[in-house]
Amino acid sequence: MDLFSDYTMTIGGKARTTAATLDVINPATGRPFATVPKAGAAEVDEAVTAAQAAFAGWRQRTIEDRRALLIQAADAIKANAAGLAKLFVMEQGRAFEAARGEVLFGATWLKAVARQELPVEIAEDTPSRRVELHREPLGVVAAIVPWNFPFLLAIWKIAPALLAGNTMVLKPSPFTPLCALKLAELWREILPPGVFNVVCGGDELGPLLTAHPGFAKISFTGSTATGKRVMAAAAGRLTRLTLELGGNDVAIVMPDVDVDAVAKELFHGAFYNSAQVCIATKRMYIHEAVYEPLRDRLHALARAAVVGDGLQPGTNYGPVQNKPLYERLLALIEEAHSQDLTLLSGSPAPEGGGYFVPLTLVDNPPEDARVVVEEAFGPVLPLLRFSDVDEVIRRANDSPYGLAGAVWSRDIEQAVAIARRLDTGNVWINQNLQNSPGIPFAGRKESGFGVENGEEGLKSFTQLKAIFIPKV
Ligand code: NAD
């Protein structure tokens, strides 16, 4: 299979093209380099019909059978990891080793989820009756994913949905459709036709999916604004929903940290993937006792970081992924300048047509500055000074979002106490960006609705059925 040409959708196990097409742009050059199909209502209908037809057989297979096929599917990713990683860099922009990391982590994740179980649970067992809790698949799942982790976030949905016996129509972001299209092509020889379908297209395609009556569940990852539209579309039929949405996550750095020891990790937690991470640190609250030394250390790391084309050896951080985001970030930086905020820039961004933004720190802006209040979703990080624990917790929680956060301190007990007071679904202590197939992941407030991963995530792709069995 040639990963670098002939991009087709997969519907019912077969290649599907359309007369209309869409260009895919390499964010390191700003120029198109690939063309993909542009699906409309007819193709969505075809994909749903194929997934519905496949559902009957797929749900009847044993979980062991489905597990074996998903493990084969994971092996196929591993065998093609280098090529998929290169394609990933070309469409998403990330530095090559980090892209390869996501592809390989995707394969590992798929295998780990494939090994999970969905046993019948006994809710009650008395002399008169036994009550069994069965978990049945829902039907056809619509999976809608963003461009920032185009590979892993698709796997987060594919693995549990298919293991539980559902079939799927996946829609990648219009900005990053290529890895998903090739993944489905790779799996045409492994999964039965119709079990896993991929459609791609423009902005109008998401609403076509969420409006389609054939879906039993929509699993969506993306922005909070779009998540609200998805929820409204799902309301008409009470379609089951998981929403993984935006965040404006904090790191709280206590006065007892060893600045030299933590700076690199803090930097990584904020700027990994050019800060296009839902769970990245987006507001860094630093205790006044260590504010200046840590700020200077972070600034030195920003100056030393190499921003460039992800396929060039030595690049640490790629471009931001798309032009609208690039323009929004430039406007955010411009606005900060015009408000006389102090900006500490990293190494200069390469010239040319690529969407490169220098890694930028904002030195203690006011709490109501746009760069603090909004999810920048790019490499512009506000550093904020604090002096009191109650005050910093109040500031951290003063956000419509509640995805994740981190607390940095040598005093683990105090850090846990702070973690328990943060209104978020995840908190890390002295670490960043942690997740794992076995650990449930959930957002609070406008960061989400429902759970992915872990036992709860797997169960969210099932219908609970209680069967009451008399003993007399
Ligand atoms: P987005 O909401 O613009 O798009 C996400 C997906 O939804 C894309 O596939 C898009 O084509 C599709 N879409 C757009 N409009 C739609 C509609 N009306 N109905 C259905 N689908 C529609 O988000 P984005 O810019 O691609 O991604 C960045 C956002 O995603 C950030 O806010 C980030 O925090 C969030 N995110 C959250 C998580 C999480 O797990 N909580 C993970 C990654 C990214």
Side-chain angles (χ1 to χ4, degrees), residues 179-195:
C179 283
L181 293 176
K182 287 298 173 185
L183 188 66
E185 189 178 334
L186 208 57
W187 290 350
R188 278 180 206 157
E189 303 299 315
I190 299 172
L191 298 174
V195 166

Side-chain angles (χ1 to χ4, degrees), residues 14 50 67-68 192 228 262 287 303 307 380 383 398 401 413 450:
K14 294 199 177 73
R67 188 187 336 279
K228 289 177 184 177
V262 300
H287 193 275
R303 283 194 305 252
V307 177
V380 185
L383 307 179
D398 185 17
Y401 297 109
E413 208 174 309

Side-chain angles (χ1 to χ4, degrees), residues 144-148 153 156 171-174 203 206-207 210 220-224 226 229-230 244-247 278 282 375 377 403 441 447 452:
I144 302 179
V145 294
W147 46 260
N148 64 331
L153 294 177
W156 280 25
K171 191 199 87 61
S173 164
D203 291 341
T210 55
F220 172 85
T221 302
S223 65
T224 294
T226 309
R229 281 180 217 120
V230 171
E244 293 292 355
L245 308 178
C278 56
K282 292 170 187 150
E375 179 189 34
F377 218 62
L403 195 54
F441 178 80
S447 286
E452 287 200 288

